[in-house]
Amino acid sequence: MNGKQLKNSILQWAIQGKLVPQDPNDEPASVLLDKIRQEKERLIKEKKIKRDKNASIIYRGEDNSYYEKMLATGEVKCIDEEVPFEIPQGWEWCRLGEISTYAQTKRKINASNADSQLWGLDLEDIEKGGRLLNIKTVGERKAIGDKTIFNRGDILYSKLRPYLLKILVAPEGGICTPEIIPFTCYGNICKDYIVSFLKSPYVDDYINSVTFGVKMPRVSTETMTFLLVPLPPLSEQFRIDTKTKELMPYIDGYGKAQNKLNKLNEELSNTIRKSILQEAIQGKLVPQIDEEGTAKELLEQIKTEKQKLVKEGKLKKSALNDSVIFRGDDNKYWEKKVTTCECIDEDIPFDVPESWAWVRLETILNIGSARRVHAKDWRQAGIPFYRAREIGKLADDGFVDNELYIDLSLYEDFSSSGVPLPNDLMITAVGTLGKVYIVKESDKFYYKDGSVLCLANKYGLCAEYLKMVIESPFFKGQYRQESQGTTVATLTMVRLQKYFIPIPPLQEQYRIVETYRDIASIMIDGSPVCIDEFLPFQIPETWVWCKVKDLLEIQTGASFKKEQANANKKGIRILRGGNILPNKYIFKDDDIFVSDEFVNANTILKKNCIITPAVTSLENIGKMAVIEKDYNNVSAGGFVFIISPYIQAFYHSLLLAYFLQSPFLIETMRGITKKSGAAFYNLGKERLKELYLPLPPMAEQSRIVGKINEVLSSIMSR
């Protein structure tokens, strides 16, 4: 647990009544709320405030449920689903608008009319967490435009995300940016308790889920006034505040120590990683095995394959002019080219085992660039189009929120000159140089010329080993040296082709990768990572949390051209988003049919798989249907995901589909979609894989599915 997580835990305990003991002699919060209502009535009569038409009383009924009575209409409704947690006896739930002036009209002033010596507060003056960084006068700030007046003792709350945690009690009066809301509380409520409440994870999560706006999201006044507040007795509020302030210096100290430790661990991890990587590419990580052959034999196989490709017209004849690097009788490294032989001993940084070989990169990989894609060809949906930024993100995280696409027809046109294939290596050539992404079996994308290069792995080498070498300090040193003194560092095809790389026998390449992974996972990546903030609720002890990718395989449905669809309804029926309803799928009269030659066999729908719209309107995100039998002639379209559970059991598929359709998961899925065009949203496959699912024992899964089906049947029969 880091300092931030510990602080959040303290704040959450505070507002749940778990930080300090309750005192039965404390005047209950219900009395405090009565006094506040009396105070507000007096202020209404004095015409200092207006009557709140949304005023309400929250109480617990005889059935132990929470109810809210609207004072203006007498309407009563159950709010059990809205109440986030239980509170101690003597506490009360209320709305922020009931106990504060948050919704009251704010006093405005133009900065040009304000006293130049008055405090002029801006968001930049407040640190996240509420520490005041500096105080500047209106004159010093050279403030302009409309501002909001605040008084000493007002709570100052930033309504702008990501600055929601910039909250403090004003030590003096002044004026502030309209993005800061000043308000005070009735009934002498402890303001610092309210500040702690507003900083709590409960409020932060709630506000972040309902903020509006794209560029500068902000929370509305209505949202804030309707915010549920757990209100302790007045005396307990002050005890909570005292305890919180007592603990915070220790928490801050712990956080700083933890950050320092994390930095040291990171530095140590990087050092260890580099050392292991260097040992790996020098042939010192695993023993050499004679039976695995030599790199020389591997290079002869590559040469034979090149000759075949040249003969077939798939490779230029110049590819056969590769140099040969060898060790001479003088124990120095020499390079033999077509007509020359020269000593390159000074260029070779270290010795490798006898079974290994040094080569130029062009000897083992076909290095190419993309055909030009103009901005006019960019689309909001289709085949992903990646620049260096996206490839770098894929290399670091394994997924990317892509925003550019090209038409399938253009991608197919480019296929004639080469597109990225599985086990090819994509390398960033501008910006942060040398980030490497290995193309997956499921990948289908194109890339930007000049900013990304494709290292086609045509001869079946171990892609993970090649990635290790290219990311090693030794290899990076080759292009960093060449980039010194240049305005913009770039990697070019010509330069990349000439760089040196050590090559072991093929089987040893795989052993190196496996050993490197094992050592790295133990020494570097073995520390557990806290994921509390990603898990929305507690589960039984016999259950576990899993990522979607641990339970399911996700692939995109069939892609085909519009003209490949036939009108005679023969071939493969294609299910689209409109065929998918909650918990069922249907065949429609206007379904598209495509000849089976245009449909990959892997997309044919089989029993137990789940289908869900991937590109659709926001309200359709999360619709799931489980396929009930094997089909020979039914597939899904390119805007549909085919989800295959690793465990092949119908009730298991049903359970996962039900869970994925739960309100929590649907909201989460909608939160990770990206706008695709005017009305459609794109549910990214890689983003979906990273979501968390609760998993019960198998026997319990069957019981849960049975109960859900029973309840659904009962509802449908009414």
Side-chain angles (χ1 to χ4, degrees):
M1 183 179 290
N2 58 35
K4 180 183 178 183
Q5 291 164 340
L6 180 57
K7 189 174 187 175
N8 284 341
S9 295
I10 295 295
L11 292 173
Q12 193 65 29
W13 294 340
I15 67 169
Q16 290 186 226
K18 299 177 180 179
L19 188 62
V20 299
Q22 281 72 51
D23 187 341
N25 297 316
D26 286 343
E27 187 178 76
S30 58
V31 177
L32 174 60
L33 287 174
D34 285 339
K35 291 178 179 178
I36 289 173
R37 294 185 188 105
Q38 292 171 18
E39 181 183 351
K40 290 173 71 177
E41 282 296 324
R42 177 179 59 78
L43 293 171
I44 291 169
K45 288 180 181 179
E46 295 173 0
K47 297 184 178 180
K48 293 181 179 179
I49 63 170
K50 294 180 180 180
R51 187 176 299 281
D52 181 9
K53 62 181 180 180
N54 294 315
S56 66
I57 296 176
I58 297 172
Y59 62 95
R60 201 153 196 173
E62 293 180 356
D63 57 357
N64 216 32
S65 289
Y66 286 100
Y67 292 89
E68 183 173 22
K69 181 179 181 180
M70 309 305 294
L71 298 180
T73 63
E75 178 190 358
V76 176
K77 61 178 180 179
C78 181
I79 60 169
D80 272 349
E81 292 186 0
E82 193 178 348
V83 175
F85 47 81
E86 290 296 323
I87 52 177
Q89 189 174 355
W91 289 43
E92 296 289 338
W93 284 104
C94 58
R95 306 282 184 187
L96 184 62
E98 275 290 292
I99 60 172
S100 76
T101 62
Y102 193 98
Q104 303 301 319
T105 303
K106 308 299 184 297
R107 294 177 297 162
K108 302 291 184 182
I109 188 173
N110 193 284
S112 60
N113 299 325
D115 185 345
S116 62
Q117 297 303 307
L118 195 65
W119 181 17
L121 179 66
D122 210 339
L123 281 171
E124 66 188 42
D125 300 328
I126 310 173
E127 189 178 49
K128 257 190 175 183
R131 186 168 70 94
L132 190 60
L133 298 175
N134 55 63
I135 295 179
K136 290 186 178 180
T137 65
V138 173
E140 290 172 329
R141 174 135 275 149
K142 298 179 181 178
I144 58 172
D146 289 336
K147 304 293 179 183
T148 303
I149 300 171
F150 62 87
N151 299 318
R152 179 178 182 177
D154 281 353
I155 297 173
L156 305 177
Y157 178 77
S158 168
K159 65 177 182 178
L160 194 66
R161 197 175 70 185
Y163 308 115
L164 296 173
L165 296 179
K166 293 191 172 189
I167 316 164
L168 54 82
V169 178
E172 299 291 341
I175 61 175
C176 61
T177 170
E179 300 296 354
I180 295 176
I181 303 295
F183 69 96
T184 189
C185 297
Y186 298 110
N188 295 318
I189 285 175
C190 178
K191 295 170 184 175
D192 286 314
Y193 170 78
I194 298 298
V195 169
S196 293
F197 163 72
L198 292 171
K199 292 178 183 176
S200 69
Y202 153 63
V203 175
D204 191 43
D205 292 343
Y206 172 73
I207 298 298
N208 278 316
S209 70
V210 296
T211 47
F212 65 93
V214 179
K215 290 184 178 180
M216 300 293 278
R218 43 185 54 80
V219 58
S220 69
T221 298
E222 183 181 26
T223 295
M224 290 304 297
T225 55
F226 276 86
L227 179 64
L228 277 175
V229 180
L231 192 68
L234 193 60
S235 298
E236 189 172 347
Q237 294 175 29
F238 286 98
R239 294 201 302 275
I240 290 171
D241 178 51
T242 300
K243 178 58 80 173
T244 303
K245 288 175 178 174
E246 179 187 324
L247 292 173
M248 285 306 161
Y250 297 103
I251 295 171
D252 291 340
Y254 169 83
K256 289 176 182 177
Q258 186 67 47
N259 290 338
K260 189 175 181 180
L261 179 61
N262 290 343
K263 187 177 180 181
L264 289 171
N265 284 337
E266 185 179 355
E267 291 173 353
L268 178 62
S269 295
N270 288 334
T271 302
I272 295 174
R273 192 184 294 273
K274 288 177 181 178
S275 298
I276 298 172
L277 197 57
Q278 191 64 29
E279 292 283 297
I281 66 174
Q282 289 185 229
K284 299 177 181 179
L285 191 62
V286 300
Q288 281 69 55
I289 301 175
D290 292 341
E291 288 78 7
E292 292 179 350
T294 66
K296 184 178 180 181
E297 294 168 346
L298 176 62
L299 293 174
E300 285 296 323
Q301 294 171 14
I302 291 174
K303 186 177 180 180
T304 301
E305 181 65 20
K306 282 186 176 182
Q307 290 171 339
K308 178 186 173 187
L309 293 173
V310 168
K311 195 173 182 179
E312 294 173 351
K314 297 177 181 179
L315 203 63
K316 293 181 179 178
K317 194 174 181 180
S318 58
L320 300 176
N321 297 331
D322 294 328
S323 66
V324 177
I325 298 171
F326 64 96
R327 204 154 192 175
D329 296 336
D330 55 0
N331 211 33
K332 293 182 178 180
Y333 288 97
W334 292 79
E335 183 175 24
K336 183 180 179 181
K337 300 180 181 177
V338 180
T339 58
T340 62
C341 188
E342 60 179 325
C343 182
I344 58 169
D345 204 60
E346 292 184 358
D347 297 325
I348 302 298
F350 49 82
D351 291 331
V352 293
E354 288 187 10
S355 59
W356 288 40
W358 280 100
V359 296
R360 303 265 187 188
L361 201 63
E362 63 182 347
T363 303
I364 59 173
L365 295 169
N366 292 355
I367 304 170
S369 185
R371 288 168 59 179
R372 179 65 53 87
V373 175
H374 300 280
K376 64 181 179 63
D377 295 319
W378 294 349
R379 300 290 184 266
Q380 293 181 317
I383 303 298
F385 179 68
Y386 295 151
R387 301 157 295 183
R389 182 181 71 82
E390 285 81 26
I391 293 297
K393 183 73 173 173
L394 282 168
D396 290 339
D397 303 329
F399 66 93
V400 63
D401 292 328
N402 187 49
E403 58 187 27
L404 296 178
Y405 300 83
I406 62 172
D407 287 332
L408 175 62
S409 57
L410 186 60
Y411 173 82
E412 291 178 340
D413 180 42
F414 290 158
S415 297
S416 60
S417 56
V419 295
L421 298 174
N423 287 317
D424 286 350
L425 293 90
M426 312 302 297
I427 183 170
T428 56
V430 297
T432 305
L433 303 182
K435 286 185 176 289
V436 182
Y437 174 68
I438 300 173
V439 181
K440 299 176 182 176
E441 194 70 39
S442 58
D443 281 336
K444 193 173 186 178
F445 65 87
Y446 205 59
Y447 60 103
K448 188 176 186 328
D449 62 301
S451 68
V452 179
L453 295 173
C454 180
L455 283 56
N457 189 12
K458 290 182 176 294
Y459 313 116
L461 301 180
C462 177
E464 289 82 3
Y465 171 77
L466 298 173
K467 183 176 187 289
M468 286 170 59
V469 180
I470 294 170
E471 291 181 336
S472 70
F474 141 70
F475 193 91
K476 289 180 177 180
Q478 296 183 87
Y479 58 76
R480 284 174 177 168
Q481 187 176 2
E482 288 192 345
S483 298
Q484 287 180 356
T486 60
T487 307
V488 181
T490 58
L491 270 176
T492 65
M493 289 173 54
V494 174
R495 289 165 56 193
L496 196 58
Q497 288 171 342
K498 303 304 178 186
Y499 293 151
F500 295 103
I501 182 170
I503 290 295
L506 185 60
Q507 291 304 311
E508 188 172 344
Q509 294 176 27
Y510 285 100
R511 286 194 293 114
I512 288 170
V513 170
E514 185 177 355
T515 303
Y516 176 77
R517 285 176 177 167
D518 290 343
I519 296 174
S521 64
I522 295 170
M523 299 184 65
I524 301 168
D525 301 321
S527 300
V529 177
C530 182
I531 59 170
D532 268 357
E533 59 184 296
F534 303 112
L535 305 180
F537 47 80
Q538 293 293 322
I539 55 176
E541 289 186 4
T542 55
W543 293 35
V544 293
W545 282 102
C546 304
K547 283 192 173 182
V548 167
K549 64 182 180 183
D550 298 327
L551 304 172
L552 308 163
E553 182 183 9
I554 305 173
Q555 64 172 328
T556 305
S559 296
F560 51 86
K561 295 180 179 179
K562 190 179 290 184
E563 57 268 23
Q564 292 171 340
N566 62 62
N568 55 14
K569 297 186 180 292
K570 293 183 178 179
I572 307 296
R573 182 190 292 269
I574 304 296
L575 301 188
R576 295 166 288 174
N579 296 92
I580 305 171
L581 305 177
N583 299 313
K584 68 176 182 179
Y585 58 97
I586 57 174
F587 294 162
K588 300 168 66 177
D589 292 338
D590 62 348
D591 283 345
I592 293 173
F593 287 77
V594 179
S595 173
D596 55 7
E597 63 184 295
F598 301 122
V599 179
N600 192 313
N602 292 334
T603 66
I604 299 297
L605 299 182
K606 301 296 181 183
K607 184 179 179 179
N608 298 330
C609 73
I610 305 165
I611 53 175
T612 187
V615 181
T616 183
S617 58
L618 195 61
E619 62 269 19
N620 287 327
I621 293 290
K623 288 184 178 179
M624 304 277 168
V626 179
I627 303 301
E628 298 172 345
K629 66 176 186 177
D630 290 341
Y631 287 99
N632 296 319
N633 59 352
V634 182
S635 178
F639 287 168
V640 173
F641 283 152
I642 303 170
I643 302 172
S644 303
Y646 295 125
I647 297 175
Q648 288 294 299
F650 190 66
Y651 69 83
H652 178 67
S653 295
L654 279 175
L655 179 95
L656 296 178
Y658 287 147
F659 280 10
L660 287 166
Q661 292 176 94
S662 65
F664 154 65
L665 260 300
I666 286 180
E667 285 304 311
T668 305
M669 283 190 282
R670 289 175 178 176
I672 63 171
T673 59
K674 293 204 70 175
K675 196 75 178 290
S676 179
F680 291 100
Y681 289 78
N682 190 343
L683 179 61
K685 179 169 52 179
E686 297 302 325
R687 298 192 298 275
L688 179 58
K689 288 179 181 177
E690 295 300 316
L691 299 184
Y692 290 93
L693 274 176
L695 185 69
M698 292 298 290
E700 189 173 350
Q701 291 183 29
S702 180
R703 296 199 305 272
I704 292 172
V705 168
K707 188 64 165 179
I708 293 175
N709 289 340
E710 180 187 327
V711 172
L712 290 177
S713 297
S714 175
I715 293 172
M716 295 300 294
S717 63
R718 292 178 182 176

